[in-house]
Amino acid sequence: MGSEGGWPVLSLREAGISLIDCEHRTPPASESGFPYVAIPQVKDGRIDLNGARRITREHFEEWTRKANPRPYDIVLSRRCNPGETGNVPEDFEFALGQNLVLLRSDGTKVLKPFLRWLVRGPQWWDQVRMYINVGAIFDSLKCVDIPNFSLSIPPLPEQHTIAHILGTLDDKIELNRRMNETLEEMTRALFKSWFIYFDPVHAKAALKRHAANLAPLDWTVERARAYLDRMDPSIAALFPDHFVDSELGEIPAGWEVKPLPEAIDINPTRPLRKGEVAPYLDMANMPTKGHTPNTVVDRPFGSGTRFANGDTLVARITPCLENGKTAHVDFLEKDTVGWGSTEYIVMRSKPPLPDEFAYCLARSAGFREFAIQSMTGSSGRQRVPVSALSNYRLPLPGRGKVSKVFGKIVQPFFLLASRNAEKSRTLATLRDTLLPKLISGESRVGV
Protein backbone atom coordinates (compact mmCIF):
# COMPACT_ATOMS: atom_id res chain seq x y z
CA MET A 1 0.00 0.00 0.00
CA GLY A 2 1.29 3.51 -0.79
CA SER A 3 0.71 6.96 0.62
CA GLU A 4 -0.41 10.07 -1.24
CA GLY A 5 3.21 11.15 -1.56
CA GLY A 6 4.24 7.85 -3.08
CA TRP A 7 5.99 6.31 -0.07
CA PRO A 8 5.01 2.76 0.91
CA VAL A 9 2.87 2.45 4.03
CA LEU A 10 4.13 -0.15 6.50
CA SER A 11 3.27 -1.10 10.04
CA LEU A 12 5.99 -0.55 12.62
CA ARG A 13 6.37 -4.31 12.79
CA GLU A 14 6.80 -4.58 9.01
CA ALA A 15 9.31 -1.70 9.09
CA GLY A 16 11.59 -3.59 11.48
CA ILE A 17 10.72 -1.53 14.55
CA SER A 18 10.44 -3.53 17.75
CA LEU A 19 8.73 -2.63 21.02
CA ILE A 20 10.46 -3.22 24.36
CA ASP A 21 8.26 -2.96 27.41
CA CYS A 22 9.26 -1.53 30.80
CA GLU A 23 9.26 -3.11 34.23
CA HIS A 24 5.74 -2.85 35.60
CA ARG A 25 6.83 -1.63 39.00
CA THR A 26 8.68 1.35 40.45
CA PRO A 27 12.08 1.17 42.17
CA PRO A 28 12.63 3.00 45.46
CA ALA A 29 14.10 6.48 45.20
CA SER A 30 17.68 7.21 46.19
CA GLU A 31 19.37 10.48 47.15
CA SER A 32 21.82 9.98 44.30
CA GLY A 33 22.50 7.54 41.50
CA PHE A 34 21.08 6.87 38.06
CA PRO A 35 18.09 8.77 36.62
CA TYR A 36 14.74 7.00 36.41
CA VAL A 37 12.77 8.52 33.53
CA ALA A 38 9.01 8.69 34.08
CA ILE A 39 6.18 10.11 31.98
CA PRO A 40 6.75 13.81 32.92
CA GLN A 41 10.31 13.62 31.55
CA VAL A 42 9.12 12.72 28.02
CA LYS A 43 7.85 15.65 25.97
CA ASP A 44 8.21 17.27 22.55
CA GLY A 45 10.64 14.66 21.25
CA ARG A 46 13.09 15.10 24.13
CA ILE A 47 13.91 13.42 27.41
CA ASP A 48 14.37 16.02 30.12
CA LEU A 49 15.96 14.74 33.33
CA ASN A 50 14.68 17.74 35.29
CA GLY A 51 12.69 16.34 38.21
CA ALA A 52 13.64 12.73 37.52
CA ARG A 53 14.08 10.55 40.59
CA ARG A 54 17.39 8.81 41.23
CA ILE A 55 17.89 5.10 41.85
CA THR A 56 20.80 2.99 43.05
CA ARG A 57 23.15 1.11 40.73
CA GLU A 58 21.60 -2.17 41.90
CA HIS A 59 18.11 -1.06 40.90
CA PHE A 60 19.41 0.53 37.69
CA GLU A 61 20.95 -2.76 36.58
CA GLU A 62 17.76 -4.62 37.48
CA TRP A 63 15.48 -2.18 35.63
CA THR A 64 17.67 -2.08 32.50
CA ARG A 65 18.07 -5.83 32.20
CA LYS A 66 14.91 -6.01 30.09
CA ALA A 67 14.71 -2.49 28.65
CA ASN A 68 18.16 -0.95 28.23
CA PRO A 69 17.87 2.33 26.26
CA ARG A 70 20.32 2.71 23.37
CA PRO A 71 21.15 5.75 21.22
CA TYR A 72 18.42 6.45 18.64
CA ASP A 73 15.84 4.47 20.59
CA ILE A 74 12.53 6.22 21.12
CA VAL A 75 10.86 6.40 24.53
CA LEU A 76 7.10 6.31 24.03
CA SER A 77 4.52 7.19 26.67
CA ARG A 78 1.49 4.91 26.72
CA ARG A 79 -0.46 6.68 29.45
CA CYS A 80 -1.37 10.21 30.63
CA ASN A 81 0.11 11.75 27.47
CA PRO A 82 -0.12 8.74 25.11
CA GLY A 83 1.89 9.14 21.92
CA GLU A 84 4.46 11.57 23.33
CA THR A 85 7.99 10.51 22.44
CA GLY A 86 11.55 11.29 23.41
CA ASN A 87 14.71 10.51 21.47
CA VAL A 88 17.54 8.77 23.32
CA PRO A 89 20.81 10.66 22.64
CA GLU A 90 24.28 9.18 22.91
CA ASP A 91 25.94 8.79 26.32
CA PHE A 92 22.58 9.01 28.08
CA GLU A 93 22.06 6.37 30.78
CA PHE A 94 18.69 6.01 32.49
CA ALA A 95 16.12 3.45 33.59
CA LEU A 96 12.71 3.30 31.97
CA GLY A 97 9.67 4.17 34.08
CA GLN A 98 6.25 2.59 34.22
CA ASN A 99 3.88 3.02 31.25
CA LEU A 100 6.82 3.83 28.97
CA VAL A 101 8.15 1.61 26.20
CA LEU A 102 11.13 1.68 23.87
CA LEU A 103 10.84 1.65 20.08
CA ARG A 104 13.98 0.36 18.35
CA SER A 105 14.67 0.16 14.62
CA ASP A 106 16.82 -2.62 13.17
CA GLY A 107 17.95 -0.16 10.47
CA THR A 108 16.81 -2.23 7.49
CA LYS A 109 13.80 -0.15 6.44
CA VAL A 110 13.95 2.76 8.87
CA LEU A 111 17.29 4.43 9.59
CA LYS A 112 17.85 4.72 13.31
CA PRO A 113 18.37 8.54 13.24
CA PHE A 114 15.17 8.88 11.19
CA LEU A 115 12.92 7.07 13.67
CA ARG A 116 12.64 10.13 15.94
CA TRP A 117 10.98 12.06 13.09
CA LEU A 118 8.76 9.22 11.92
CA VAL A 119 7.01 9.22 15.32
CA ARG A 120 6.30 12.96 15.43
CA GLY A 121 4.36 13.72 12.25
CA PRO A 122 0.58 13.99 11.63
CA GLN A 123 0.39 10.34 10.52
CA TRP A 124 1.79 9.26 13.87
CA TRP A 125 -0.85 11.19 15.78
CA ASP A 126 -3.57 9.84 13.46
CA GLN A 127 -2.49 6.34 14.51
CA VAL A 128 -2.43 7.34 18.19
CA ARG A 129 -6.01 8.60 17.91
CA MET A 130 -7.04 5.45 16.06
CA TYR A 131 -5.70 3.07 18.71
CA ILE A 132 -6.27 5.15 21.84
CA ASN A 133 -8.17 3.52 24.69
CA VAL A 134 -10.27 6.12 26.44
CA GLY A 135 -10.31 5.53 30.18
CA ALA A 136 -12.26 6.99 33.08
CA ILE A 137 -9.08 8.58 34.45
CA PHE A 138 -6.31 8.14 31.85
CA ASP A 139 -6.27 7.46 28.13
CA SER A 140 -3.76 4.83 27.12
CA LEU A 141 -2.17 2.77 24.34
CA LYS A 142 -1.78 -1.00 24.48
CA CYS A 143 1.58 -2.62 23.80
CA VAL A 144 -0.13 -5.11 21.50
CA ASP A 145 -1.51 -2.30 19.29
CA ILE A 146 1.56 -0.09 18.86
CA PRO A 147 3.45 -2.41 16.42
CA ASN A 148 0.38 -2.17 14.16
CA PHE A 149 0.73 1.59 13.68
CA SER A 150 0.94 2.16 9.89
CA LEU A 151 3.10 5.00 8.57
CA SER A 152 4.56 6.20 5.27
CA ILE A 153 8.18 5.06 5.00
CA PRO A 154 10.41 7.07 2.62
CA PRO A 155 13.35 5.40 0.82
CA LEU A 156 16.53 5.15 2.90
CA PRO A 157 18.42 7.92 1.00
CA GLU A 158 15.45 10.24 1.52
CA GLN A 159 15.34 9.31 5.21
CA HIS A 160 19.01 10.21 5.57
CA THR A 161 18.48 13.68 4.05
CA ILE A 162 15.30 14.34 6.04
CA ALA A 163 16.98 13.31 9.29
CA HIS A 164 19.92 15.60 8.49
CA ILE A 165 17.72 18.64 7.73
CA LEU A 166 15.43 18.26 10.74
CA GLY A 167 18.28 17.17 13.01
CA THR A 168 20.29 20.28 12.13
CA LEU A 169 17.35 22.48 13.14
CA ASP A 170 16.91 20.51 16.35
CA ASP A 171 20.62 20.76 17.15
CA LYS A 172 20.43 24.55 16.92
CA ILE A 173 17.40 24.56 19.22
CA GLU A 174 19.24 22.32 21.68
CA LEU A 175 22.31 24.58 21.58
CA ASN A 176 20.14 27.59 22.45
CA ARG A 177 18.52 25.63 25.27
CA ARG A 178 21.89 24.70 26.77
CA MET A 179 23.14 28.27 26.43
CA ASN A 180 20.06 29.51 28.26
CA GLU A 181 20.61 26.95 31.01
CA THR A 182 24.13 28.33 31.46
CA LEU A 183 22.84 31.93 31.57
CA GLU A 184 20.23 30.89 34.13
CA GLU A 185 22.85 29.18 36.29
CA MET A 186 25.11 32.24 36.16
CA THR A 187 22.26 34.57 37.15
CA ARG A 188 21.04 32.45 40.04
CA ALA A 189 24.59 31.74 41.27
CA LEU A 190 25.30 35.47 41.52
CA PHE A 191 21.98 36.09 43.29
CA LYS A 192 22.69 33.38 45.87
CA SER A 193 26.26 34.56 46.36
CA TRP A 194 25.29 38.16 47.07
CA PHE A 195 21.82 38.03 48.62
CA ILE A 196 21.61 34.63 50.33
CA TYR A 197 25.12 33.48 51.22
CA PHE A 198 26.64 37.02 51.50
CA ASP A 199 29.90 35.74 50.03
CA PRO A 200 31.51 39.18 49.50
CA VAL A 201 30.90 40.03 53.16
CA HIS A 202 32.30 36.69 54.36
CA ALA A 203 35.40 37.23 52.24
CA LYS A 204 36.02 40.77 53.49
CA ALA A 205 35.30 39.74 57.08
CA ALA A 206 37.83 36.90 56.83
CA LEU A 207 40.57 39.27 55.62
CA LYS A 208 39.66 41.81 58.29
CA ARG A 209 40.05 39.19 61.04
CA HIS A 210 43.33 38.07 59.49
CA ALA A 211 44.65 41.65 59.53
CA ALA A 212 43.70 41.85 63.22
CA ASN A 213 45.55 38.55 63.92
CA LEU A 214 42.26 36.79 64.60
CA ALA A 215 41.48 33.34 63.29
CA PRO A 216 39.06 33.35 60.32
CA LEU A 217 35.66 31.84 61.04
CA ASP A 218 33.87 30.16 58.12
CA TRP A 219 36.21 31.31 55.35
CA THR A 220 39.94 30.69 55.04
CA VAL A 221 42.18 33.58 54.06
CA GLU A 222 43.07 31.78 50.83
CA ARG A 223 39.44 31.34 49.89
CA ALA A 224 38.63 34.97 50.72
CA ARG A 225 41.52 36.31 48.64
CA ALA A 226 40.62 34.09 45.69
CA TYR A 227 37.02 35.25 45.82
CA LEU A 228 37.82 38.96 46.01
CA ASP A 229 40.51 38.68 43.32
CA ARG A 230 37.76 37.62 40.90
CA MET A 231 35.57 40.55 41.91
CA ASP A 232 35.69 44.09 40.57
CA PRO A 233 37.16 46.21 43.43
CA SER A 234 34.53 48.90 42.90
CA ILE A 235 31.78 46.30 43.40
CA ALA A 236 33.51 44.70 46.39
CA ALA A 237 33.66 48.15 48.00
CA LEU A 238 29.85 48.25 48.09
CA PHE A 239 29.74 45.38 50.61
CA PRO A 240 30.53 45.74 54.36
CA ASP A 241 33.27 43.75 56.09
CA HIS A 242 31.26 42.47 59.06
CA PHE A 243 27.87 41.12 60.11
CA VAL A 244 25.23 42.17 62.63
CA ASP A 245 22.53 40.15 64.38
CA SER A 246 18.94 40.22 63.11
CA GLU A 247 15.70 38.25 63.42
CA LEU A 248 17.00 36.10 60.53
CA GLY A 249 20.41 35.56 62.08
CA GLU A 250 23.56 37.36 60.99
CA ILE A 251 23.16 39.72 58.04
CA PRO A 252 25.60 42.20 56.46
CA ALA A 253 26.08 45.42 58.45
CA GLY A 254 23.92 48.20 57.05
CA TRP A 255 21.37 45.77 55.58
CA GLU A 256 17.77 45.60 56.77
CA VAL A 257 15.27 42.79 57.21
CA LYS A 258 12.04 43.68 55.43
CA PRO A 259 8.70 41.93 54.87
CA LEU A 260 8.25 40.89 51.24
CA PRO A 261 5.57 43.50 50.36
CA GLU A 262 8.01 46.32 51.21
CA ALA A 263 10.43 45.03 48.56
CA ILE A 264 8.13 43.29 46.08
CA ASP A 265 4.76 44.44 44.81
CA ILE A 266 2.36 41.47 44.91
CA ASN A 267 -0.35 41.26 42.23
CA PRO A 268 -0.03 44.88 41.08
CA THR A 269 -3.00 46.38 39.25
CA ARG A 270 -2.90 46.06 35.46
CA PRO A 271 -5.59 47.59 33.16
CA LEU A 272 -7.31 45.08 30.88
CA ARG A 273 -10.98 45.19 29.88
CA LYS A 274 -13.14 42.09 29.63
CA GLY A 275 -13.27 40.85 26.04
CA GLU A 276 -10.09 42.73 25.07
CA VAL A 277 -7.75 40.50 23.04
CA ALA A 278 -4.41 40.19 24.82
CA PRO A 279 -1.46 37.77 25.06
CA TYR A 280 -2.45 34.73 27.14
CA LEU A 281 -0.06 32.39 28.96
CA ASP A 282 -1.54 29.16 30.24
CA MET A 283 -0.09 27.02 33.02
CA ALA A 284 1.02 24.27 30.63
CA ASN A 285 3.44 26.65 28.90
CA MET A 286 4.95 28.04 32.10
CA PRO A 287 8.62 27.01 32.28
CA THR A 288 9.82 24.78 35.10
CA LYS A 289 13.34 26.11 34.60
CA GLY A 290 14.59 29.17 32.79
CA HIS A 291 12.59 32.37 32.66
CA THR A 292 11.11 32.18 29.14
CA PRO A 293 7.68 30.57 28.53
CA ASN A 294 7.14 28.21 25.63
CA THR A 295 4.09 29.66 23.89
CA VAL A 296 1.93 32.77 24.29
CA VAL A 297 -1.28 33.16 22.29
CA ASP A 298 -3.75 36.02 21.83
CA ARG A 299 -7.11 35.46 23.52
CA PRO A 300 -10.02 37.67 24.66
CA PHE A 301 -9.65 38.49 28.35
CA GLY A 302 -12.22 36.84 30.59
CA SER A 303 -10.92 36.57 34.12
CA GLY A 304 -7.45 35.84 35.36
CA THR A 305 -4.15 37.28 36.47
CA ARG A 306 -2.88 40.29 34.54
CA PHE A 307 0.79 41.10 34.03
CA ALA A 308 3.20 43.40 32.20
CA ASN A 309 6.84 43.32 31.12
CA GLY A 310 9.14 43.20 34.14
CA ASP A 311 6.74 41.12 36.24
CA THR A 312 7.53 37.65 37.56
CA LEU A 313 4.85 34.94 37.52
CA VAL A 314 4.83 32.14 40.07
CA ALA A 315 2.40 29.21 40.07
CA ARG A 316 0.75 29.05 43.48
CA ILE A 317 -1.11 25.74 43.17
CA THR A 318 0.09 22.18 43.68
CA PRO A 319 1.87 20.49 41.91
CA CYS A 320 2.86 23.41 39.67
CA LEU A 321 4.58 25.31 42.48
CA GLU A 322 6.57 22.24 43.53
CA ASN A 323 7.52 21.64 39.88
CA GLY A 324 9.01 25.14 39.67
CA LYS A 325 6.66 26.83 37.20
CA THR A 326 7.95 30.40 37.17
CA ALA A 327 8.40 32.99 34.41
CA HIS A 328 9.86 36.47 33.95
CA VAL A 329 7.71 38.60 31.66
CA ASP A 330 9.77 40.19 28.89
CA PHE A 331 7.87 38.80 25.89
CA LEU A 332 5.13 41.45 25.51
CA GLU A 333 5.03 44.41 23.17
CA LYS A 334 5.68 47.78 24.80
CA ASP A 335 2.81 48.96 27.03
CA THR A 336 0.92 45.69 26.44
CA VAL A 337 -0.83 43.84 29.27
CA GLY A 338 -0.99 40.06 29.19
CA TRP A 339 -3.07 37.65 31.23
CA GLY A 340 -3.19 34.08 32.44
CA SER A 341 -4.35 31.68 35.11
CA THR A 342 -5.88 32.84 38.37
CA GLU A 343 -3.37 30.46 39.95
CA TYR A 344 -0.45 32.79 39.23
CA ILE A 345 1.05 35.15 41.76
CA VAL A 346 2.51 38.26 40.11
CA MET A 347 5.64 39.73 41.73
CA ARG A 348 7.18 43.07 40.76
CA SER A 349 10.39 44.43 42.30
CA LYS A 350 10.12 47.85 43.89
CA PRO A 351 12.95 50.33 43.21
CA PRO A 352 15.85 50.24 43.72
CA LEU A 353 15.58 46.47 43.25
CA PRO A 354 15.81 45.52 39.55
CA ASP A 355 13.00 43.55 37.90
CA GLU A 356 15.21 40.46 37.74
CA PHE A 357 15.53 40.38 41.54
CA ALA A 358 11.92 39.23 41.97
CA TYR A 359 12.47 36.42 39.48
CA CYS A 360 15.65 35.21 41.19
CA LEU A 361 13.92 35.37 44.57
CA ALA A 362 10.98 33.36 43.23
CA ARG A 363 13.42 30.70 41.98
CA SER A 364 15.34 30.55 45.27
CA ALA A 365 15.01 27.45 47.44
CA GLY A 366 14.16 29.44 50.59
CA PHE A 367 11.27 31.33 49.03
CA ARG A 368 9.88 28.22 47.32
CA GLU A 369 10.05 26.25 50.57
CA PHE A 370 8.25 29.05 52.39
CA ALA A 371 5.53 29.16 49.73
CA ILE A 372 5.04 25.40 49.77
CA GLN A 373 4.75 25.37 53.57
CA SER A 374 2.19 28.20 53.36
CA MET A 375 -0.20 26.20 51.17
CA THR A 376 -3.73 25.65 52.39
CA GLY A 377 -6.68 23.66 51.11
CA SER A 378 -7.62 20.04 50.57
CA SER A 379 -5.21 17.44 49.26
CA GLY A 380 -4.61 17.87 45.54
CA ARG A 381 -6.07 21.39 45.49
CA GLN A 382 -3.68 23.23 47.75
CA ARG A 383 -2.57 26.74 46.92
CA VAL A 384 -0.61 29.61 48.45
CA PRO A 385 -2.82 32.39 49.89
CA VAL A 386 -1.48 35.70 48.66
CA SER A 387 -1.77 37.07 52.21
CA ALA A 388 0.77 34.49 53.42
CA LEU A 389 3.56 36.22 51.50
CA SER A 390 3.39 39.16 53.92
CA ASN A 391 5.03 36.89 56.48
CA TYR A 392 8.12 36.29 54.35
CA ARG A 393 11.17 38.27 55.50
CA LEU A 394 14.33 38.94 53.52
CA PRO A 395 17.55 40.89 54.11
CA LEU A 396 18.20 43.76 51.72
CA PRO A 397 21.03 46.26 51.24
CA GLY A 398 20.41 49.52 53.04
CA ARG A 399 21.53 51.45 49.98
CA GLY A 400 20.44 50.69 46.44
CA LYS A 401 23.89 50.45 44.83
CA VAL A 402 24.36 46.70 45.31
CA SER A 403 20.92 45.99 43.86
CA LYS A 404 21.48 48.28 40.89
CA VAL A 405 24.85 46.70 40.09
CA PHE A 406 23.24 43.26 40.29
CA GLY A 407 20.64 44.39 37.75
CA LYS A 408 23.26 45.77 35.35
CA ILE A 409 25.14 42.46 35.46
CA VAL A 410 22.21 40.08 34.92
CA GLN A 411 20.04 42.11 32.55
CA PRO A 412 22.20 41.19 29.50
CA PHE A 413 21.86 37.51 30.51
CA PHE A 414 18.07 37.79 30.47
CA LEU A 415 18.08 39.65 27.16
CA LEU A 416 20.31 37.06 25.48
CA ALA A 417 18.21 34.19 26.85
CA SER A 418 15.03 35.79 25.50
CA ARG A 419 16.60 36.25 22.08
CA ASN A 420 17.76 32.63 22.09
CA ALA A 421 14.27 31.47 23.02
CA GLU A 422 12.74 33.53 20.21
CA LYS A 423 15.19 32.04 17.71
CA SER A 424 14.35 28.57 18.96
CA ARG A 425 10.62 29.19 18.54
CA THR A 426 11.25 30.28 14.94
CA LEU A 427 13.39 27.21 14.27
CA ALA A 428 10.81 24.93 15.90
CA THR A 429 8.06 26.40 13.71
CA LEU A 430 10.17 25.79 10.61
CA ARG A 431 10.98 22.24 11.74
CA ASP A 432 7.35 21.41 12.54
CA THR A 433 6.23 22.85 9.20
CA LEU A 434 8.78 20.88 7.20
CA LEU A 435 8.36 17.59 9.10
CA PRO A 436 4.97 16.44 7.70
CA LYS A 437 5.77 17.68 4.20
CA LEU A 438 9.08 15.83 4.05
CA ILE A 439 7.87 12.60 5.62
CA SER A 440 4.77 12.38 3.43
CA GLY A 441 6.70 13.11 0.23
CA GLU A 442 4.74 16.31 -0.43
CA SER A 443 8.07 18.16 -0.44
CA ARG A 444 11.04 16.34 -1.92
CA VAL A 445 14.69 16.90 -1.11
CA GLY A 446 17.76 16.19 -3.16
CA VAL A 447 19.58 12.98 -2.19
Side-chain angles (χ1 to χ4, degrees), residues 23-43:
E23 289 284 344
H24 291 273
R25 53 202 176 107
T26 302
S30 174
E31 291 186 2
S32 61
F34 292 86
Y36 174 84
V37 168
I39 290 173
Q41 279 78 56
V42 181
K43 188 175 182 182

Side-chain angles (χ1 to χ4, degrees), residues 332-344:
L332 301 175
E333 298 293 333
K334 185 178 180 181
D335 299 326
T336 298
V337 174
W339 68 289
S341 170
T342 56
E343 302 298 354
Y344 295 153

Side-chain angles (χ1 to χ4, degrees), residues 2 22 37 67 69 139 210 214 234 307 310 337 339 394 406 444-445:
C22 64
V37 168
D139 295 343
H210 176 68
L214 298 172
S234 64
F307 50 80
V337 174
W339 68 289
L394 69 162
F406 173 76
R444 304 292 294 270
V445 292

